[in-house]
Amino acid sequence: TKDKQDKEKTTECVYKIPCGNCDRTYIGETGRKFGVRMKEHRSEVEVKSNKAFTRSQQAISLTERGKSALTDHAVQNNHVINWSEATVVDKEPDKATRWIKEAIHIRKEGKKSMNRDEGCYILSYAYDSVLATSLPYRGKNGKKKK
């Protein structure tokens, strides 16, 4: 039998990171090692979350955008990310196809997605019935993306 590969060493994948305080998840993709990308996410969340703010600085920080929606969710909602439950949901060596798979996984999450957008590939809403998506992704302004 084959030895199981450590998920941290997985490359060319689509991944899912859940919030520890609510049912929202972040979907991302990387061509690099999953563990490296996780460390980048974790580092940014920790740096932004660990800052001591005055009230006025806290109000300003709520309007700032981090590098990823994952950071924004953690900082703005004072939530803890469940790093130990992060998983690789798909593997794909072709970058363009990986972007499509990321868009599909984001769409399938619907309103539970904490992503800011639909990913690098804009997936047609004609696929919603095939994906059994009952909750279309809605952007920051609440309007359905086309």
Side-chain angles (χ1 to χ4, degrees), residues 73-121:
H73 178 80
V75 172
Q76 293 172 1
N77 297 297
N78 198 24
H79 283 188
V80 176
I81 302 303
N82 190 348
W83 302 108
S84 63
E85 293 296 317
T87 57
V88 172
V89 294
D90 221 326
K91 281 189 55 71
E92 178 57 51
D94 180 64
K95 189 176 195 175
T97 306
R98 191 167 59 246
W99 286 353
I100 293 169
K101 288 183 175 189
E102 177 194 32
I104 289 169
H105 285 284
I106 292 170
R107 182 71 60 82
K108 287 173 98 174
E109 286 297 307
K111 291 181 181 178
K112 292 189 334 180
S113 171
M114 64 177 82
N115 293 64
R116 285 189 200 118
D117 56 32
E118 296 179 283
C120 292
Y121 183 84

Side-chain angles (χ1 to χ4, degrees), residues 7 15 17 23 25 41-42 48 72 89 91-92 118 125 130:
K7 74 177 179 179
Y15 58 89
I17 305 172
D23 66 346
T25 58
H41 279 302
R42 193 175 204 156
K48 296 269 186 174
D72 292 344
V89 294
K91 281 189 55 71
E92 178 57 51
E118 296 179 283
Y125 282 93
V130 175

Side-chain angles (χ1 to χ4, degrees), residues 35-98:
V36 170
R37 187 67 185 111
M38 285 282 294
K39 284 179 186 172
E40 291 172 349
H41 279 302
R42 193 175 204 156
S43 176
E44 185 187 10
V45 168
E46 288 173 358
V47 165
K48 296 269 186 174
S49 296
N50 292 338
K51 282 187 177 177
F53 291 114
T54 64
R55 285 187 192 133
S56 62
Q57 288 172 324
Q58 177 68 23
I60 291 168
S61 75
L62 294 178
T63 61
E64 292 176 350
R65 287 178 69 157
K67 289 181 184 176
S68 76
L70 179 66
T71 302
D72 292 344
H73 178 80
V75 172
Q76 293 172 1
N77 297 297
N78 198 24
H79 283 188
V80 176
I81 302 303
N82 190 348
W83 302 108
S84 63
E85 293 296 317
T87 57
V88 172
V89 294
D90 221 326
K91 281 189 55 71
E92 178 57 51
D94 180 64
K95 189 176 195 175
T97 306
R98 191 167 59 246

Side-chain angles (χ1 to χ4, degrees), residues 3-18 30 32-38 82-91:
D3 291 333
K4 279 199 169 191
Q5 185 178 3
D6 181 16
K7 74 177 179 179
E8 305 287 314
K9 295 178 183 174
T10 303
T11 59
E12 301 171 328
C13 63
V14 177
Y15 58 89
K16 181 182 203 177
I17 305 172
T30 185
R32 299 176 297 141
K33 289 182 179 179
F34 173 62
V36 170
R37 187 67 185 111
M38 285 282 294
N82 190 348
W83 302 108
S84 63
E85 293 296 317
T87 57
V88 172
V89 294
D90 221 326
K91 281 189 55 71

